[in-house]
């Protein structure tokens, strides 16, 4: 899992939420140093304590404010609801420059959660880049994964499409996908994030239409070498 | 396959192209009356003759101008390259009112075919509705299916996501998906077409990235009743 000789550190902003907590769990389990971030450092510390209890000794999970988590991590994942997306990014802008930011946000606008509604930037991930500027790499991933599955040690029957501002950004993100126990695919430039984010509305629609709860996707017809 | 007592008629505008010809083949094989349309009625007649030869006696395939095909059909599928999308739709506008139009178009803008680039309307299918007005139903489907597979009698390992202006429009389109031998899913309102159309660029990117030629998708975690 290392990119260099030490365990890589990953901040999970909004890591007290269900999706973020699930990713934090999987990454800490894989040996990453996980910095759970929240607007409230107290809530982040409580979530980190929960995760350490689940994971047992040896796991590195700390709870911090979003700002401190972003500042201390090498890679920063954003797992906040879309309503908190802009504010969260603006609050960590100075701390993420030169790093890799992985945006997990789905720009769902209740009540029409089964209808694709993208922000003017084209997608939440492109909006993140607009807010944060060109001084960092941005990737998008994990939009279609059910948070309920992440916190359990069971196989997840849904692939993860990864977009990003460079091949290197996508490759680094794909390592985190694998570390989370998932199958990932390089899905191209950040402009393609609209597909990943929009697919969440499509899958929610399919769940309602067909009476299911965990619709996902798999890429077919490709054998990874 | 019938919605009423007679075989349903389906126009395939741009049916001399590879995708359109494949769909025409599958639908005629399933017993639909297929009207192959082209800007050139001569080319349409030649394509229809090819298909009749492939299909043998009993298949109903006619070649016509796009206008005449649209006028005589109950359902109209559009399978033209994006560069001919607007012009083709404007040329049949008066003949498709009150009908169901199924847009197969992917708004791919060469040379950047691996990058999602949607028209201002949001997607090609939404653009079709803008051009044609509110006096007809519009659906989108078949964007991710390899044309090479349609003209062969082999199973296609790629599901078809279907969006549309109403549940009825999607249900009618899903019947044509099944008639083509494919597994289809109701993917929600026409606004969700950006996912279907954009997914084509993602799949082309995956093909290039992983050295494959027929990347597709399957919906997982749902058991159709």
């Amino acid at each position: 899992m290392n990119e260099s000789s030490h365990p890589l550190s990953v901040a999970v902003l909004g890591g007290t939420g269900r999706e973020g907590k699930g990713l934090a769990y999987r990454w800490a389990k894989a040996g990453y140093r996980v910095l759970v971030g929240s607007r409230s450092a107290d809530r982040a510390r409580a979530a980190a304590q929960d995760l350490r209890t689940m994971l047992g000794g040896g796991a590195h999970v700390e709870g911090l404010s979003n700002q401190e988590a972003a500042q201390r991590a090498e890679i920063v994942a954003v797992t906040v609801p879309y309503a908190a997306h802009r504010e969260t990014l603006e609050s960590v802008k100075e701390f993420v420059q030169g790093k890799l930011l992985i945006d997990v946000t789905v720009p769902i606008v209740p009540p029409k959660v089964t209808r694709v509604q993208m922000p003017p930037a084209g997608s939440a991930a492109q909006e993140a880049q607009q807010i944060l500027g060109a001084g960092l790499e941005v990737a998008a991933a994990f939009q279609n994964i059910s948070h309920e599955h992440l916190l359990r040690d069971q196989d997840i029957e849904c692939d993860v499409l990864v977009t990003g501002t460079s091949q290197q950004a996508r490759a680094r993100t794909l390592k985190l996908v694998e570390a989370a126990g998932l199958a990932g695919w390089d899905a191209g430039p950040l402009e393609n994030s609209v597909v990943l984010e929009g697919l969440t509305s499509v899958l929610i629609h399919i769940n309602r239409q067909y009476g299911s709860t965990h619709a996902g996707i798999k890429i077919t017809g490709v054998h990874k070498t």
Side-chain angles (χ1 to χ4, degrees), chain A residues 137-208:
Chain A
E137 298 260 39
V138 177
F142 302 108
Q143 287 82 1
N144 309 130
I145 301 300
S146 162
H147 57 79
E148 294 167 51
H149 286 163
L150 286 171
L151 276 171
R152 295 179 203 157
D153 291 314
Q154 64 193 45
D155 284 348
I156 294 180
E157 201 195 359
C158 183
D159 288 355
V160 176
L161 299 174
V162 175
T163 58
T165 44
S166 72
Q167 177 125 23
Q168 197 203 4
R170 299 191 293 270
R172 293 177 76 194
T173 305
L174 283 165
K175 283 191 184 170
L176 281 163
V177 174
E178 285 168 31
L182 297 158
W185 298 93
D186 181 334
L190 201 67
E191 288 87 339
N192 294 1
S193 304
V194 60
V195 174
L196 286 53
E197 297 175 14
L199 197 53
T200 301
S201 288
V202 167
L203 293 174
I204 295 170
H205 181 87
I206 286 174
N207 277 334
R208 291 189 179 175

Side-chain angles (χ1 to χ4, degrees), chain A residues 97-115:
Chain A
Q97 300 303 315
K99 298 182 179 176
L100 168 63
L101 183 118
I102 302 174
D103 203 339
V104 182
T105 307
V106 177
I108 272 184
V109 186
K112 294 189 172 173
V113 297
T114 64
R115 184 181 300 262

Side-chain angles (χ1 to χ4, degrees), chain A residues 68-109:
Chain A
E68 198 174 355
Q71 189 167 19
R72 285 180 40 199
E74 290 153 284
I75 298 177
V76 178
V78 184
T79 66
V80 298
Y82 183 62
H85 188 243
R86 175 175 292 276
E87 184 193 335
T88 303
L89 293 171
E90 284 172 349
S91 77
V92 299
K93 180 171 180 176
E94 63 184 297
F95 305 120
V96 297
Q97 300 303 315
K99 298 182 179 176
L100 168 63
L101 183 118
I102 302 174
D103 203 339
V104 182
T105 307
V106 177
I108 272 184
V109 186

